[in-house]
DNA sequence: GATGCGTGGGA
DNA sequence: TTCCCAAGCAT
């Protein structure tokens, strides 16, 4: 390879990945760009283990963007199951529709075309361009940010949002060789997912432990702003989830009495139902019943 | 830049 | 049990 700017982190992490990478369907040599794209949307804030079965079902049922685009959006919401954040299902459907309409049904290759799609932000655009098409992009997800914060920044956790300095570091670290750059990105992500985890780093298994600034400093405790705990019990999110679960589990329109039974607080229930309608995750069938779109 | 958005598994 | 959080995005 023609890596003109090798960094001491490169070889150990690339070698570690070669040895320890998980075999995942969207990493198979024959995996389509669509398979990669579906996986990336599903993996946004959702663990790999829960994505695996749903991803397999989606790819079997909808092998191409056109297959998904041909279905009503409610089919995508239902097939999303319990992955969480069901608006992602709508966005994936909308992205499939846009791909059919503007890209001849083929997942686009460039960052600019990708990030224009619904549900595709900076991370996902860079990930699809890199992992599906082998392009060279800085891929900054929570794993990469944590690994870099520790190895080069000497701190336990990155800040709440990506800083210019952080992006500059990641850019400087990205191998110049194009195919190696894509492998590097997935390798650092994998290291963060399997070894350099948020819960507790396993430095004994880390290929770059002896190069890690945070470890060299004696693992100083995180001293940034408190990471706000996600409240859950009694929130609108929980209420929306309950209401949508009732609709997902029924193929027929659901009378509002069944929604009433799913959430006791009427004011909150009505507010959440209204927001689900606003989000197009639910439609009103008639005066007293609702369904998936 | 801060918020809101689901879910279920592990420590 | 309770808490934390897992490959973010849109507003």
């Amino acid at each position: 390879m023609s890596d003109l700017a090798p960094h001491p982190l490169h070889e150990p992490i690339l070698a570690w990945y070669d040895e320890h990478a998980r075999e995942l369907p969207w990493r198979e040599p024959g995996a389509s760009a669509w398979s990669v794209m579906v996986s990336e949307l599903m993996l946004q804030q959702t663990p790999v283990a829960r994505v695996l079965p749903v991803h397999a079902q989606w790819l079997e049922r909808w092998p191409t963007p056109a297959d998904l685009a041909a279905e009503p959006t409610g089919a995508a919401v239902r097939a999303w199951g319990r992955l969480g954040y069901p608006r992602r299902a709508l966005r994936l459907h909308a992205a499939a529709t846009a791909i059919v309409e503007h890209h001849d049904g083929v997942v686009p290759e460039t960052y600019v075309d990708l990030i224009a799609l619904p549900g595709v932000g900076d991370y996902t655009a860079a990930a699809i361009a890199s992992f599906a098409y082998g392009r060279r992009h800085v891929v900054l997800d929570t794993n990469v940010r944590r690994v870099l914060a520790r190895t080069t920044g000497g701190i336990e956790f990155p800040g709440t949002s990506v800083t210019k300095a952080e992006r500059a570091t990641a850019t400087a670290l990205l191998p110049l060789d194009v195919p190696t750059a894509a492998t590097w990105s997935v390798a650092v992500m994998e290291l963060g997912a399997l070894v350099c985890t948020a819960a507790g780093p396993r430095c004994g298994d880390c290929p770059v432990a002896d190069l890690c600034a945070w470890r060299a400093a004696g693992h100083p405790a995180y001293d940034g702003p408190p990471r706000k705990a996600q409240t859950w019990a009694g929130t609108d999110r929980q209420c929306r989830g309950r209401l949508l679960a009732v609709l997902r589990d029924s193929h027929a329109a659901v009378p509002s009495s069944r929604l009433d039974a799913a959430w006791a607080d009427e004011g909150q229930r009505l507010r959440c139902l209204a927001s689900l309608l606003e989000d197009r995750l639910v439609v009103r069938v008639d005066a007293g019943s609702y369904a998936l779109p």
Side-chain angles (χ1 to χ4, degrees), chain A residues 137-271:
Chain A
H137 286 279
V138 170
V139 179
L140 268 185
D141 80 321
T142 187
N143 288 305
V144 174
R145 295 185 64 216
R146 187 173 56 251
V147 170
L148 297 186
R150 290 174 179 172
T151 56
T152 77
I155 57 176
E156 184 174 15
F157 295 114
T160 51
S161 54
V162 178
T163 64
K164 286 190 173 182
E166 221 179 325
R167 186 166 288 279
T169 297
T171 301
L173 225 43
L174 189 68
L176 294 177
D177 179 68
V178 173
T180 303
T183 304
W184 165 256
S185 296
V186 73
V188 179
M189 286 177 60
E190 192 79 339
L191 186 65
L194 299 183
V195 176
C196 195
T197 64
R202 299 162 43 205
C203 300
D205 296 328
C206 180
V208 292
D210 59 344
L211 300 174
C212 180
W214 182 52
R215 184 164 182 267
H219 293 136
Y222 176 72
D223 106 12
R227 306 145 68 77
K228 60 176 191 289
Q230 316 176 53
T231 53
W232 175 245
T235 60
D236 283 3
R237 283 156 83 175
Q238 184 185 30
C239 179
R240 284 166 54 106
R242 290 276 179 81
L243 297 179
L244 202 57
V246 171
L247 298 175
R248 231 178 15 232
D249 294 341
S250 170
H251 281 273
V254 170
S256 54
S257 60
R258 287 189 50 202
L259 297 179
D260 297 349
W263 196 262
D265 183 330
E266 181 181 25
Q268 187 176 27
R269 186 177 67 243
L270 293 177
R271 179 175 71 244

Side-chain angles (χ1 to χ4, degrees), chain A residues 93-111:
Chain A
H93 186 282
T97 301
I99 288 169
V100 168
E101 193 165 333
H102 301 300
H103 301 287
D104 293 324
V106 179
V107 175
E109 293 191 32
T110 69
Y111 178 94

